[in-house]
Amino acid sequence: MIEGFFALIFGLLSAVWGIVMLASTALLLGLFIPMALLWVWILARILQRAGYSGWWALIGLTPLLPLAVWVFAFSSWPAAQRTVVLMPPERG
């Protein structure tokens, strides 16, 4: 009889724990996906301003991000090669 009571309690706790885990997983996914999209958008904007393709931002979703930061940090930036020459106004 006591074993049946413990089995009932264990079954109820398992069901409650399953519901809690399902709800927390849905909440984490509901927060993770928008934050990941925001992260990729920000990285794409930075990379475009540096002169690279925005598609490189997808590396931000992988564990290769530190490697990509090193590559971009020590390579020549296409945007840095563009020069703007400002001519002073002619007087005369």
Side-chain angles (χ1 to χ4, degrees), residues 2 6-7 14 19 21 28 35-36 38 43 52 57 59 61-63 69 71 74-75 80 85 88 91:
I2 194 88
F6 283 124
S14 295
I19 292 170
M21 292 305 294
L28 284 176
M35 292 301 288
L38 180 65
L43 282 177
Y52 291 104
I59 292 178
L61 296 176
T62 67
V69 169
V71 169
F74 293 106
S75 64
V85 178
R91 296 185 184 180

Side-chain angles (χ1 to χ4, degrees), residues 57-90:
L58 294 177
I59 292 178
L61 296 176
T62 67
L64 298 175
L65 181 63
L67 177 65
V69 169
W70 279 93
V71 169
F72 288 122
F74 293 106
S75 64
S76 62
W77 289 23
Q81 295 172 357
R82 289 185 246 145
T83 57
V84 177
V85 178
L86 298 175
M87 301 293 287
E90 292 183 22

Side-chain angles (χ1 to χ4, degrees), residues 6-81:
F6 283 124
L8 177 66
I9 295 297
F10 182 73
L12 288 174
L13 288 175
S14 295
V16 169
W17 181 252
I19 292 170
V20 168
M21 292 305 294
L22 182 64
S24 64
T25 302
L27 178 66
L28 284 176
L29 284 178
L31 291 175
F32 175 75
I33 292 172
M35 292 301 288
L37 292 175
L38 180 65
W39 172 251
V40 168
W41 180 72
I42 290 171
L43 282 177
R45 296 284 303 199
I46 291 170
L47 289 169
Q48 287 171 355
R49 289 187 182 197
Y52 291 104
S53 171
W55 289 103
W56 281 102
L58 294 177
I59 292 178
L61 296 176
T62 67
L64 298 175
L65 181 63
L67 177 65
V69 169
W70 279 93
V71 169
F72 288 122
F74 293 106
S75 64
S76 62
W77 289 23
Q81 295 172 357

